[in-house]
Amino acid sequence: MKTGHIAALAAAAFFMEPSVAGLISFSGKAPELLLCLMIAAVFSCRDTGLVVGMIAAFAALQEICFSLYAGPGAFAVFLAGTLAAAAARYCTWDRLPFYLAFTVFDTAVYELILWAGLRIVGGYVSFTYFLKLLPLSACYNVAIMLPMYYWLLKQKQGAEEI
Amino acid sequence: MRSRSRKKQIAAISAGILAGLVLLVLFWRAASGSEGIKESLQNAAAAVTKPLYQAAGGIQRGFKGIFHFKEVTAENEILKKENEKLQLEKAALALTRQEKQELEELEAVFQYEAIRGYTVKAANVSAMEYSGWQGAFLIDKGSRDGVKPGCIVISGNGLVGKVTEVSAETAKVVSILSDDTKVSFQTLEKKGKMGVLQSDGKGGLAGYLLEDGKTVKKGTKLITSGIGTYPEGIIIGEITRIKRKEGTQRLLLEAKPSVSFFKLRKVAVVL
């Protein structure tokens, strides 16, 4: 994926997450589009640092515009992205089980950091409630990552043919 | 050669991370500093998300319609008759089913005796925060319309929360589930019993009755008592669980809010 494409997709995710994502929300949870985009982008782009920084900036902007607290979400995206960048250095995303397992793992890391960050700044969510909704968040993100995987695979095969 | 390219890669990654951190700090400062930048960002973003959010609401209702086909058909018949009547009266206003439902919901707000003396502004929800379990959202009314931080927000179904931040054209609303603010309530009975509720951090409300030794039934509706922030008589929710605190006469209770915070499309702000 090219950096320009990622920027355009991040802008789309920025607007869609607080609006259209609500179509499939349950208990106030919807897919984390920016997180999903970042995992896919980090695995398929060379400028991982730039991608992580850019998507974390979009997450920060999203918090400023729509959230009660600015900071925890962007920090969580940044750390989850750094983790994905580290994983991308040592592993290849081509194997679907790894790709999906990493999505679940990264979602858990992201949600945990977000929950802890929100508790620090004054959020009011219990840990048991966070744990209860964690599988739902993971399922949502896996559902988003699955078509993304086949799209990335198709792009990679196309590039190899050239 | 290989180690040189690796060094370059590490330098690029470090530069990217550093740039990201600088941006994060800048945004953080914008968020906590003067209102100028933050207000403009909020207004610009809301201008894009508002039509998307409203369209998503329409689609959601459309899907529900598929699963409630009989009800929709019956409703359609009523609507057809109403429409014919409206056409006969040469009414200029044509409402869609969604708009009608939303307006009916909002109409209930004006039935509250508690807000009779206040000015009430109807507002559309422009964006919803889904990532933080918070029940926070953006509305399309701001300081230009007289909205101020602390204004109470209600819907046809009951108490929603209050305004926390205001820009010229938008305002951020925090639901009663999102913070540790206590809401004083009374039960909707002949001799209403008083108590206090607050978010339980699990998507519901928890609290207790102020008078020890009293009892209430499961399913009893709770309304605001008028003590504290909220005016008297606004529906909060209904009791779902009751238990006595061990070794005391205090009655603890859990309640389900009457408002589905994440499905809100229209609300009213009490100025």
Side-chain angles (χ1 to χ4, degrees), chain A residues 11 14 18 37 39-40 43 47 49 58 65 77-78 83 85 98 118-119 131-132 134 136 138 143 158:
Chain A
F14 169 83
L37 175 66
I39 299 170
F43 280 127
D47 305 321
F58 268 105
C65 295
V77 165
F78 180 73
L83 196 69
F98 166 75
L118 284 173
R119 285 297 290 205
L131 284 179
K132 192 180 151 191
L134 187 57
L136 184 72

Side-chain angles (χ1 to χ4, degrees), chain B residues 102-112 115 120-123 125 137 152-161 173 233-236 257-261 263-270:
Chain B
E102 282 174 356
L103 286 175
E104 275 171 356
E105 241 174 68
L106 201 60
E107 193 198 347
V109 167
F110 295 93
Q111 307 297 324
Y112 287 124
I115 57 159
V120 180
K121 278 261 175 207
V125 177
F137 56 88
I152 293 148
V153 180
I154 51 181
S155 83
N157 293 325
L159 184 64
V160 174
V173 178
I234 302 166
I235 296 169
I236 304 169
S258 55
V259 177
S260 302
F261 299 99
K263 286 176 185 161
L264 285 170
R265 304 281 154 197
K266 275 196 191 325
V267 291
V269 186
V270 183

Side-chain angles (χ1 to χ4, degrees), chain B residues 112-239:
Chain B
Y112 287 124
E113 198 68 43
I115 57 159
R116 280 281 151 85
Y118 296 88
T119 311
V120 180
K121 278 261 175 207
N124 291 304
V125 177
S126 306
M128 184 71 70
E129 189 202 14
Y130 292 107
S131 58
W133 312 271
Q134 297 280 318
F137 56 88
L138 211 63
I139 55 170
D140 66 349
K141 292 284 183 287
S143 56
R144 256 183 221 166
D145 304 282
V147 178
K148 291 176 200 148
C151 281
I152 293 148
V153 180
I154 51 181
S155 83
N157 293 325
L159 184 64
V160 174
K162 58 188 175 196
V163 173
T164 53
E165 282 174 42
V166 180
S167 74
E169 288 158 26
T170 61
K172 269 184 202 173
V173 178
V174 53
S175 78
I176 49 170
L177 296 181
S178 305
D179 57 13
D180 55 357
T181 310
K182 288 183 171 69
V183 183
S184 171
F185 74 84
Q186 65 182 50
T187 54
L188 194 61
E189 296 167 318
K190 256 191 178 178
K191 281 184 180 176
K193 290 156 196 124
M194 307 269 278
V196 176
L197 275 176
Q198 71 180 116
S199 169
D200 63 0
K202 299 171 197 166
L205 297 161
Y208 55 88
L209 284 186
L210 285 177
E211 285 180 84
D212 289 347
K214 296 267 177 178
T215 186
V216 282
K217 281 180 192 161
K218 202 174 151 182
T220 306
K221 292 226 182 311
L222 305 173
I223 56 169
T224 50
S225 68
I227 300 167
T229 321
Y230 304 105
E232 188 186 348
I234 302 166
I235 296 169
I236 304 169
E238 65 173 55
I239 298 172

